[in-house]
Amino acid sequence: MVRRLAAALALALALAAPAAAVERRFALVAGEPDGGAGTARLRYAERDARRIHAILTELGGVRSEDARLLLSAGAPAFRRALAELSRDAEAARGRGERTLLLVYYSGHAKDGALRLGGGRLPLEELRAALEGAPADVRIGLLDSCRSGAIARAKGVRPAPTFDVSGPGGGPSGLVLIASSAADEDSQESDAIGASWFTHHLASGLLGGADATGDGRVTLSEAYAYAYARTVGSTASSAGGVQHPVFLYELGGAGDVVLADLAPVAGGLVFPADGEGLYVVLDRSGRAVAEVAKAPGAERRIALARGRYVLKKRLPDDSALLVGRVDVEGAPVAVDDARLDRLPLDRDPQKGFAGRRVAFVGGLGAQRFFSRAARDGLFPPATLAGLELAVRDDLGRGLAWGLDAAFGGGSGELRMPGVEPIAVRFAEVAGGASLWKDFRLGRRLTLSAGGRVGFTWLGRSFDAAEGLPSQYFFTVTPGLTGAAAWRLGRRVSAVARVRVSYLFYNVDENRSLGFAEGLVGVEYALGD
């Protein structure tokens, strides 16, 4: 443990020469949540891959046409993409360009192989492909269980450091970085919506690892940051401490710059005297960046335009400092004095992500209880409905909504001594609801609350009967309950039941109850 910590600290001090630019960069980024038989499906492998791909193409100097993003693509597609990029790198070198080839993988690894769905890619094969790739610099980044085995064979040094001294001409060679040692599991976290290693690697590349404050993140800075933060984040986890490892076979002068913050003008700037652990969340409450800030150089995090939530946990764990930040075309200075103090139970990473808006649409049925259903005054009806739901607006788990529905049905009006009379029934309804959400796991949410509705009813009879049409408007208070099953980032399947009371006194006081059921789809405007 001490040796590994010493190696990680040495990385940040290992710049013995100015960084050399690599003019043409190629990247293969793969996310594979399915590891086949004997593995549990990963929740965030594809999101991890998307984040790294975006960073490499926006800050890492990789042209979009030189990047391949593979999501649940399988082993054959991975091999084809790697071979294709190797050929492109060879062609670029033939034109006199310096080249870099980077391979990132997030997914399962077991028994010495990457497990891509039903296919396997032995770590030895991947390492041999990177060693033989015709690029000046080859970098492999593996975020998977026991991926450190790729750096174990062929004479790896026990505690290497990024020694960048050497002959001129820029760096060249091979670097392999794995998220965990050969006998360790790599861990995901629901709190951050990512794997710990990729989360910290991405945060470092966005600027968190820029220890010198020069606006560029080097390979050694990124590894040192990801190592320290991953060890710290997993120190108290049930899965045990996770130690990223690396194999370094890089010669030449200078370190490799992995990210240049200059192309993204917007972001957050943490002042030189700032101190503490800051986390940046997107609109859905997921962590997109993290900064472990110590007094010293100013630190900038590159962020795309949009609204974010910034939080800082106070040292005594008594509360949080939280604030919303709008990132536009220029960096925004972070000022602790302008952040709100909140209790820990309103931590945005523990479910309180601010207001979330969604639309629910579906089809359902309505049936009145007791006598009304029997005598045909209100035949069973089919309804189509639409609802606007606003969650966490009034507090954590509290939601309100506005709904509208229309529909109708047909039946027979039965009265003593009279032949049954055909009747058609139409309805237009609307209402306002207030409810509480109870989240059970990642996908299932149960809800319960109250509703006040307003209903317009119309009945028409067979023209041969000579009976006039009837219209009625009334108030319908009641209770509502629902179950939602999350299908994707924005889409959920919803089943809802309402029980309401209708005030009816057209010909006599006949107030009665009815039930409604609806099955539909919810679409969230945010993740």
Side-chain angles (χ1 to χ4, degrees):
M1 179 66 179
V2 173
R3 185 175 67 249
R4 286 168 172 161
L5 287 174
L9 293 175
L11 297 176
L13 304 175
L15 297 182
V22 177
E23 295 186 19
R24 191 72 179 269
R25 299 185 168 201
F26 303 88
L28 170 56
V29 180
E32 181 57 74
D34 183 9
T39 64
R41 185 175 178 84
L42 297 174
R43 297 175 178 176
Y44 306 113
E46 292 186 341
R47 180 174 185 254
D48 288 344
R50 290 191 188 96
R51 290 180 70 188
I52 296 300
H53 177 267
I55 291 172
L56 292 176
T57 53
E58 294 170 8
L59 303 175
V62 180
R63 304 174 189 176
S64 58
E65 64 269 22
D66 293 335
R68 303 291 184 273
L69 175 61
L70 304 181
L71 302 177
S72 300
F78 189 99
R79 289 186 173 96
R80 286 194 302 269
L82 182 55
E84 179 183 337
L85 291 176
S86 295
R87 289 193 298 269
D88 292 344
E90 184 175 23
R93 288 187 74 184
R95 295 189 295 269
E97 298 178 274
R98 285 187 53 80
T99 55
L100 178 147
L101 174 62
L102 186 147
V103 175
Y104 168 89
Y105 169 80
S106 178
H108 281 287
K110 189 176 181 181
D111 300 328
L114 303 184
R115 303 187 65 165
L116 298 100
R120 304 290 184 270
L121 180 66
L123 292 175
E124 291 273 354
E125 178 184 339
L126 177 58
R127 176 167 170 168
L130 287 171
E131 288 177 332
D136 295 292
V137 177
R138 290 93 64 201
I139 300 173
L141 302 173
L142 304 183
D143 191 349
S144 57
C145 294
R146 294 169 170 76
S147 51
I150 196 172
R152 187 168 55 184
K154 298 186 180 178
V156 60
R157 290 184 291 271
T161 61
F162 279 76
D163 182 6
V164 296
S165 60
S172 62
L174 174 70
V175 175
L176 300 175
I177 296 178
S179 62
S180 58
D183 58 349
E184 294 177 345
D185 290 333
S186 295
Q187 303 170 47
E188 292 185 316
S189 169
D190 289 333
I192 58 174
S195 72
W196 283 117
F197 174 76
T198 293
H199 168 66
H200 293 306
L201 176 64
S203 295
L205 294 176
L206 289 173
D210 182 19
T212 61
D214 63 355
R216 300 188 301 174
V217 179
T218 65
L219 182 61
S220 59
E221 286 178 324
Y223 176 81
Y225 185 88
Y227 178 93
R229 296 298 305 136
T230 300
V231 170
S233 298
T234 59
S236 58
S237 71
V241 184
Q242 178 182 330
H243 303 87
V245 298
F246 71 89
L247 168 69
Y248 169 78
E249 295 178 349
L250 198 65
D255 199 353
V256 178
V257 175
L258 286 185
D260 185 351
L261 309 186
V264 178
L268 301 179
V269 176
F270 299 84
D273 59 351
E275 185 176 8
L277 179 61
Y278 296 85
V279 179
V280 183
L281 313 176
D282 62 14
R283 286 179 176 268
S284 65
R286 286 182 172 176
V288 296
E290 181 178 306
V291 179
K293 181 68 175 65
E298 183 178 88
R299 194 75 58 85
R300 181 169 83 90
I301 295 294
L303 296 172
R305 292 173 180 263
R307 171 165 290 184
Y308 299 90
V309 173
L310 177 66
K311 79 161 194 172
K312 175 185 178 181
R313 191 156 183 164
L314 298 180
D316 58 0
D317 285 339
S318 61
L320 300 168
L321 297 181
V322 179
R324 289 184 177 177
V325 182
D326 290 314
V327 174
E328 300 297 340
V332 178
V334 174
D335 183 358
D336 287 1
R338 301 180 64 180
L339 302 178
D340 297 325
R341 186 184 181 99
L342 295 180
L344 291 178
D345 63 356
R346 290 169 69 91
D347 187 341
Q349 278 180 283
K350 295 183 178 179
F352 189 80
R355 182 172 61 185
R356 296 179 291 120
V357 179
F359 288 97
V360 180
L363 296 174
Q366 178 189 85
R367 184 177 182 86
F368 281 75
F369 298 137
S370 186
R371 184 176 172 184
R374 291 197 302 269
D375 63 18
L377 283 176
F378 301 102
T382 300
L383 300 175
L386 181 68
E387 180 176 27
L388 167 70
V390 183
R391 289 188 166 84
D392 292 335
D393 190 31
L394 305 176
R396 181 178 178 181
L398 292 177
W400 61 272
L402 301 175
D403 63 83
F406 65 92
S410 61
E412 291 183 336
L413 176 61
R414 298 178 180 272
M415 295 183 294
V418 179
E419 290 293 324
I421 302 172
V423 57
R424 291 183 298 275
F425 171 55
E427 175 180 343
V428 177
S433 304
L434 178 67
W435 69 87
K436 172 76 173 179
D437 285 329
F438 303 91
R439 182 171 294 179
L440 305 179
R442 287 188 62 252
R443 295 188 178 275
L444 179 62
T445 300
L446 302 181
S447 307
R451 176 180 179 269
V452 176
F454 302 90
T455 302
W456 178 88
L457 305 170
R459 284 194 298 266
S460 60
F461 304 92
D462 192 326
E465 301 293 339
L467 298 176
S469 298
Q470 299 176 342
Y471 304 98
F472 182 61
F473 180 81
T474 187
V475 179
T476 56
L479 301 176
T480 180
W485 182 264
R486 188 175 182 183
L487 302 175
R489 289 192 302 160
R490 300 192 179 194
V491 179
S492 300
V494 178
R496 184 180 62 209
V497 176
R498 291 179 183 150
V499 178
S500 303
Y501 192 73
L502 182 144
F503 295 97
Y504 179 82
N505 58 1
V506 174
D507 47 2
E508 61 179 294
N509 185 4
R510 235 186 217 186
S511 297
L512 39 87
F514 63 95
E516 295 174 325
L518 176 141
V519 176
V521 175
E522 176 179 312
Y523 181 81
L525 298 186
D527 286 343

